[in-house]
Amino acid sequence: MTDADIATDIDIEALRERALTTLTTARDRTTLLTSCVEEPELLAQVSPLMSPLVWDLAHIGNQEELWLLRAVGGRDAIRPDIDGLYDAFEHPRSERPSLPLLPPEEARQYAAEVRGRVTDVLESTAFHGSRLTAMGFAFGMVAQHEQQHDETMLITHQLRTGPQALTAPDPEPVPLFTGPTEVLVPGGPFTMGTSTEPWALDNERPAHRREVESFYIDTTPVTNGAYLAFIEDGGYDDPRWWTKEGWAHIRRNSVTAPLFWRREAGQWLRRRFGVTEAVPLDEPVVHVCWYEADAYARWAGRRLPTEAEWEKAARHDPTGDRSMRYPWGDADPAPEHANLGQRHLRPAPAGSYPAGESPLGVRQLIGDVWEWTSSDFLPYPGFRAFPYKEYSEVFFGPEYKVLRGGSFAVDEVACRGTFRNWDYPIRRQIFSGFRTARSGAV
């Protein structure tokens, strides 16, 4: 199946079932993230960068009410009085703890009432006609929105300083990866973005041709062990490797290692969801900002890949002129393909998931860690904001850098070969890592 085939010949009942499954999966995760701590922690703000968990909980319900009950279903509003309270653009995160938020139990009841009515709307919605309902887009958008907030809430759990509240099995151990350290991606045109993926968001659209020169890209994300070599070589003390802004940032904030790392008794330790452990050398490094990723790449004599290079490495099928949905092909992600969906609370060792590698042999492009690219967050040619400009359009510009590929905290509904994430280059609380690239010729 090609990208152009995806939006055709869809069984309506199967699509309805997919919408219900993805909404249910998201709500189950929301429940887990908001039921594993006591009420005072739901109300607390662990960082000015994050909302109290109870704000996220009610915001999820409010967005579902706005888009699925009112916009799609044409139903009367349940709580129009709280629309402004849970408008993310009206109230920055730093202000949210002081707002008259719904208490935890009321927020849970509100979200549950909305979901009950949404289930009725889903049963009666025709998946054609308006752009909002075609192919179930609105339901996919709301499920993605909830999963994105679930990832944000997981970040809050990582930032909290209390005892361990979440558990999950570790990824399967794998032998030390001994394959090639880099892969050559041949130059030439490829199709970037999508015009037909049913639940793709506006910034992923439209599909368009891009020309990319030949380049080499790391086979796996940069590991903790490799990053530790940068630290021990004085990388944080040498301005040669840093942009002017990056050097000023790390000096001003005394940044000397990835977030949550510390050196104790001659050993590097990290704190991960309430547990202190030795830094695992074979895992992809996580919790580094763009400035740190860029500095490491310069120190290594390389660079960060552009967003177009990353997507070509992830989607291009060299046996034909087509772009696949994922590195492994067009099939939806399965556990053997990638570390997604909070199945684990850490990245898998470098070299994991051979079934998920690209045709050229690049591994772990999906899942494990978000990967910084060198690119600013900009619209594609022909971009049109939909269904509201505040999702993407207001963020376009040089202030934000693009991340690709998802992380262990991302659900598959919010992760595709075309999916684009973005953040300020100083952000480290996110589950961000990177891989490097270099220019090359066939």
Side-chain angles (χ1 to χ4, degrees), residues 282-438:
D282 60 346
E283 280 186 15
V285 67
V286 65
H287 295 302
V288 290
C289 70
W290 185 89
Y291 291 130
E292 291 170 290
D294 179 68
Y296 173 94
R298 293 168 188 260
W299 169 82
R302 299 170 69 82
R303 58 177 175 81
L304 295 179
T306 67
E307 183 182 13
E309 287 174 335
W310 188 97
E311 187 166 324
K312 184 169 187 180
R315 298 185 63 213
H316 182 62
D317 181 357
T319 64
D321 185 20
R322 77 181 194 111
S323 290
M324 305 177 297
R325 298 178 69 209
Y326 298 96
W328 55 85
D330 295 326
D332 289 338
E336 66 268 20
H337 291 137
N339 180 8
L340 292 167
Q342 201 181 309
R343 293 197 311 270
H344 313 295
L345 290 171
R346 64 196 305 160
S352 296
Y353 305 105
E357 72 178 20
S358 74
L360 293 172
V362 188
R363 295 195 180 187
Q364 293 169 282
L365 285 156
I366 298 293
D368 287 306
V369 292
W370 285 106
E371 298 183 17
W372 288 109
T373 72
S374 63
S375 299
D376 297 335
F377 184 49
L378 299 172
Y380 290 158
F383 167 84
R384 288 191 300 161
F386 178 80
Y388 56 102
K389 68 179 182 179
E390 288 83 6
Y391 181 72
S392 301
E393 186 175 325
V394 297
F395 297 102
F396 290 144
E399 296 89 355
Y400 296 93
K401 293 295 185 182
V402 173
L403 303 100
R404 300 297 297 264
S407 73
F408 66 87
V410 174
D411 186 80
E412 65 175 80
V413 74
C415 185
R416 293 171 287 278
T418 57
F419 192 92
R420 308 172 76 195
N421 190 9
W422 65 94
D423 215 327
Y424 291 112
I426 63 172
R427 290 291 186 251
R428 306 202 301 160
Q429 83 278 11
I430 60 178
F431 301 111
S432 52
F434 64 101
R435 72 180 74 215
T436 67
R438 67 181 177 93

Side-chain angles (χ1 to χ4, degrees), residues 49-79:
L49 297 175
M50 313 305 294
S51 306
L53 292 172
V54 73
W55 186 92
D56 286 290
L57 175 58
H59 170 77
I60 285 167
N62 184 246
Q63 288 295 295
E64 189 166 328
E65 180 185 351
L66 289 171
W67 288 106
L68 298 186
L69 285 190
R70 301 185 204 173
V72 172
R75 305 291 180 89
D76 292 337
I78 298 175
R79 292 294 304 267

